Protein backbone atom coordinates (compact mmCIF):
# COMPACT_ATOMS: atom_id res chain seq x y z
CA UNK A 1 0.00 0.00 0.00
CA UNK A 2 2.79 2.45 0.91
CA UNK A 3 4.59 1.60 -2.34
CA UNK A 4 1.47 2.34 -4.45
CA UNK A 5 0.87 5.65 -2.62
CA UNK A 6 4.51 6.59 -3.30
CA UNK A 7 4.01 5.80 -7.00
CA UNK A 8 0.93 8.04 -7.16
CA UNK A 9 2.74 10.86 -5.37
CA UNK A 10 5.70 10.57 -7.77
CA UNK A 11 3.33 10.48 -10.77
CA UNK A 12 1.52 13.56 -9.46
CA UNK A 13 4.74 15.48 -8.84
CA UNK A 14 6.06 14.47 -12.28
CA UNK A 15 2.83 15.61 -13.98
CA UNK A 16 2.92 18.91 -12.11
CA UNK A 17 6.56 19.39 -13.18
CA UNK A 18 5.64 18.78 -16.82
CA UNK A 19 2.66 21.13 -16.66
CA UNK A 20 4.70 23.91 -15.07
CA UNK A 21 7.62 23.55 -17.48
CA UNK A 22 5.72 22.82 -20.65
CA UNK A 23 2.49 24.62 -19.89
CA UNK A 24 3.67 27.99 -21.11
CA UNK A 25 4.80 26.43 -24.40
CA UNK A 26 2.22 23.66 -24.71
CA UNK A 27 0.38 25.34 -27.59
CA UNK A 28 3.56 26.59 -29.30
CA UNK A 29 6.07 24.96 -31.58
CA UNK A 30 9.55 24.94 -30.01
CA UNK A 31 12.38 25.21 -32.53
CA UNK A 32 16.05 24.97 -31.62
CA UNK A 33 18.41 26.55 -34.12
CA UNK A 34 21.85 24.96 -34.17
CA UNK A 35 24.41 27.72 -34.21
CA UNK A 36 28.15 27.52 -34.63
CA UNK A 37 29.95 29.94 -32.35
CA UNK A 38 33.61 30.92 -32.42
CA UNK A 39 35.69 29.90 -29.42
CA UNK A 40 37.80 32.59 -27.81
CA UNK A 41 40.40 32.58 -25.10
CA UNK A 42 40.08 35.12 -22.29
CA UNK A 43 42.62 37.38 -24.01
CA UNK A 44 41.09 37.02 -27.50
CA UNK A 45 37.64 37.79 -26.10
CA UNK A 46 38.90 40.98 -24.46
CA UNK A 47 40.50 42.04 -27.74
CA UNK A 48 37.48 41.08 -29.88
CA UNK A 49 34.83 42.73 -27.70
CA UNK A 50 33.89 46.33 -28.42
CA UNK A 51 32.23 46.57 -25.00
CA UNK A 52 32.70 44.59 -21.80
CA UNK A 53 30.17 45.45 -19.14
CA UNK A 54 29.15 44.29 -15.69
CA UNK A 55 25.53 45.28 -15.23
CA UNK A 56 21.96 44.49 -14.32
CA UNK A 57 19.22 43.46 -16.76
CA UNK A 58 16.50 46.12 -16.41
CA UNK A 59 14.37 45.51 -19.49
CA UNK A 60 13.80 42.73 -21.99
CA UNK A 61 11.89 43.74 -25.09
CA UNK A 62 9.47 41.74 -27.17
CA UNK A 63 10.66 39.37 -29.84
CA UNK A 64 11.80 41.01 -33.07
CA UNK A 65 11.94 39.14 -36.37
CA UNK A 66 14.31 40.07 -39.17
CA UNK A 67 13.92 38.30 -42.50
CA UNK A 68 17.00 37.76 -44.68
CA UNK A 69 17.01 36.60 -48.31
CA UNK A 70 19.66 33.89 -48.71
CA UNK A 71 19.00 32.77 -52.24
CA UNK A 72 16.36 32.43 -54.87
CA UNK A 73 13.07 31.70 -53.11
CA UNK A 74 14.83 31.16 -49.77
CA UNK A 75 14.60 33.32 -46.70
CA UNK A 76 15.90 33.03 -43.18
CA UNK A 77 14.16 34.57 -40.18
CA UNK A 78 16.27 35.75 -37.29
CA UNK A 79 14.56 36.05 -33.89
CA UNK A 80 15.97 38.25 -31.14
CA UNK A 81 15.12 40.48 -28.19
CA UNK A 82 16.60 43.81 -27.24
CA UNK A 83 17.79 43.72 -23.64
CA UNK A 84 18.71 46.83 -21.66
CA UNK A 85 21.60 46.46 -19.22
CA UNK A 86 22.07 49.08 -16.50
CA UNK A 87 25.82 49.61 -16.19
CA UNK A 88 27.33 48.79 -12.81
CA UNK A 89 30.85 48.93 -14.21
CA UNK A 90 32.00 49.60 -17.76
CA UNK A 91 35.12 47.47 -18.15
CA UNK A 92 35.71 48.33 -21.82
CA UNK A 93 33.82 50.79 -23.98
CA UNK A 94 32.00 54.08 -23.51
CA UNK A 95 32.51 54.84 -19.82
CA UNK A 96 29.81 57.54 -19.92
CA UNK A 97 27.03 55.08 -20.80
CA UNK A 98 24.44 54.49 -18.10
CA UNK A 99 22.93 51.60 -20.08
CA UNK A 100 24.05 49.17 -22.77
CA UNK A 101 21.79 47.44 -25.28
CA UNK A 102 22.32 43.73 -25.75
CA UNK A 103 20.80 41.64 -28.53
CA UNK A 104 19.68 38.26 -27.17
CA UNK A 105 19.17 35.66 -29.89
CA UNK A 106 15.90 33.74 -29.77
CA UNK A 107 12.44 34.70 -28.69
CA UNK A 108 8.80 33.82 -28.57
CA UNK A 109 5.81 34.64 -30.75
CA UNK A 110 2.15 33.74 -30.31
CA UNK A 111 2.75 30.40 -32.06
CA UNK A 112 6.38 29.46 -31.54
CA UNK A 113 9.43 29.56 -29.32
CA UNK A 114 12.81 29.94 -31.05
CA UNK A 115 15.92 28.87 -29.12
CA UNK A 116 19.50 29.12 -30.36
CA UNK A 117 21.91 26.43 -29.20
CA UNK A 118 24.29 27.71 -26.57
CA UNK A 119 22.23 30.81 -25.80
CA UNK A 120 21.19 31.16 -22.16
CA UNK A 121 18.36 33.70 -21.87
CA UNK A 122 18.66 36.43 -19.25
CA UNK A 123 15.85 37.71 -17.04
CA UNK A 124 15.05 41.11 -15.58
CA UNK A 125 17.07 41.54 -12.40
CA UNK A 126 19.95 39.28 -13.48
CA UNK A 127 23.45 40.67 -12.93
CA UNK A 128 25.70 39.78 -15.85
CA UNK A 129 29.12 40.26 -17.39
CA UNK A 130 28.87 40.61 -21.17
CA UNK A 131 31.52 40.69 -23.92
CA UNK A 132 29.70 42.50 -26.75
CA UNK A 133 30.31 43.24 -30.41
CA UNK A 134 29.74 46.70 -31.87
CA UNK A 135 26.18 45.72 -32.89
CA UNK A 136 25.25 44.69 -29.31
CA UNK A 137 25.35 40.91 -29.75
CA UNK A 138 27.73 38.93 -27.61
CA UNK A 139 30.90 37.56 -29.18
CA UNK A 140 29.84 33.98 -28.32
CA UNK A 141 27.82 32.23 -25.58
CA UNK A 142 31.03 32.08 -23.53
CA UNK A 143 30.86 35.89 -23.47
CA UNK A 144 27.90 36.00 -21.09
CA UNK A 145 28.17 35.24 -17.38
CA UNK A 146 25.23 35.41 -14.98
CA UNK A 147 26.04 36.17 -11.34
CA UNK A 148 24.51 33.88 -8.73
CA UNK A 149 23.22 34.84 -5.26
CA UNK A 150 26.71 34.43 -3.81
CA UNK A 151 28.30 36.93 -6.22
CA UNK A 152 29.91 34.12 -8.23
CA UNK A 153 29.99 33.25 -11.93
CA UNK A 154 30.78 29.99 -13.69
CA UNK A 155 33.49 30.48 -16.31
CA UNK A 156 34.55 27.91 -18.92
CA UNK A 157 38.27 27.16 -18.93
CA UNK A 158 38.90 28.98 -22.22
CA UNK A 159 37.57 32.23 -20.70
CA UNK A 160 39.84 32.10 -17.64
CA UNK A 161 43.12 34.04 -17.61
CA UNK A 162 46.11 31.72 -17.53
CA UNK A 163 48.14 32.16 -14.37
CA UNK A 164 50.59 29.87 -12.63
CA UNK A 165 48.56 29.85 -9.41
CA UNK A 166 45.39 28.43 -10.97
CA UNK A 167 44.44 24.81 -11.28
CA UNK A 168 41.94 25.13 -14.11
CA UNK A 169 38.89 22.90 -14.41
CA UNK A 170 36.52 22.52 -17.37
CA UNK A 171 34.39 25.17 -15.63
CA UNK A 172 35.54 27.40 -12.82
CA UNK A 173 33.54 29.34 -10.27
CA UNK A 174 34.98 32.68 -9.34
CA UNK A 175 33.83 35.91 -7.75
CA UNK A 176 32.51 38.61 -10.09
CA UNK A 177 34.84 41.17 -8.46
CA UNK A 178 37.84 38.93 -9.13
CA UNK A 179 36.89 38.34 -12.78
CA UNK A 180 36.34 42.07 -13.34
CA UNK A 181 39.75 42.73 -11.79
CA UNK A 182 41.39 40.29 -14.21
CA UNK A 183 39.76 42.11 -17.12
CA UNK A 184 40.85 45.54 -15.83
CA UNK A 185 44.43 44.29 -15.30
CA UNK A 186 44.55 42.82 -18.80
CA UNK A 187 43.30 46.07 -20.34
CA UNK A 188 45.76 48.19 -18.33
Amino acid sequence: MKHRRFQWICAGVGSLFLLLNLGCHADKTVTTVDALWPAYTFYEAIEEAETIVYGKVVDKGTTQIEEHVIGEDKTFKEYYRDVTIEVIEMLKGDEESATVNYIEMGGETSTQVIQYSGVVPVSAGDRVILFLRENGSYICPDGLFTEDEEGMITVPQNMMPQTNEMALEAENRCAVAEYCEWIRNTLA
Side-chain angles (χ1 to χ4, degrees), residues 7-138:
Q7 287 177 323
W8 278 107
I9 290 171
C10 287
V13 169
S15 298
L16 181 61
F17 177 77
L18 285 172
L19 285 173
L20 290 174
N21 284 303
L22 299 177
C24 61
H25 303 303
D27 57 338
K28 298 181 182 189
T29 303
V30 177
T31 303
T32 300
V33 178
D34 288 327
L36 295 174
W37 301 97
Y40 294 101
T41 66
F42 174 77
Y43 304 101
E44 291 168 338
I46 288 174
E47 187 175 317
E48 182 71 22
E50 181 77 20
T51 301
I52 304 173
V53 63
Y54 169 50
K56 180 179 178 181
V57 176
V58 292
D59 185 43
K60 190 167 177 174
T62 58
T63 299
Q64 305 293 313
I65 304 170
E66 232 177 76
E67 194 165 321
H68 304 278
V69 177
I70 56 174
E72 232 177 85
D73 300 327
K74 292 184 181 180
T75 60
F76 170 72
K77 290 182 181 178
E78 189 172 45
Y79 296 77
Y80 65 93
R81 290 184 177 166
D82 290 318
V83 178
T84 304
I85 309 293
E86 180 181 74
V87 175
I88 295 171
E89 181 179 359
M90 183 66 73
L91 299 160
K92 181 180 180 184
D94 182 2
E95 294 179 8
E96 301 300 315
S97 295
T99 61
V100 170
N101 293 318
Y102 157 56
I103 298 170
E104 179 181 85
M105 300 303 297
E108 191 170 331
T109 67
S110 60
T111 59
Q112 60 185 331
V113 175
I114 305 296
Q115 304 167 336
Y116 286 79
S117 62
V119 174
V120 177
V122 296
S123 300
D126 285 351
R127 288 178 178 252
V128 295
I129 296 175
L130 284 161
F131 289 71
L132 299 174
R133 296 188 183 286
E134 188 174 358
N135 69 357
S137 64
Y138 55 38

Side-chain angles (χ1 to χ4, degrees), residues 154-178:
T154 301
V155 182
Q157 182 178 5
N158 61 298
M159 290 296 286
M160 291 292 289
Q162 304 300 313
T163 66
N164 293 334
E165 307 91 55
M166 292 182 178
L168 295 178
E169 303 294 330
E171 289 189 334
N172 300 273
R173 283 181 41 85
C174 68
V176 167
E178 183 177 25

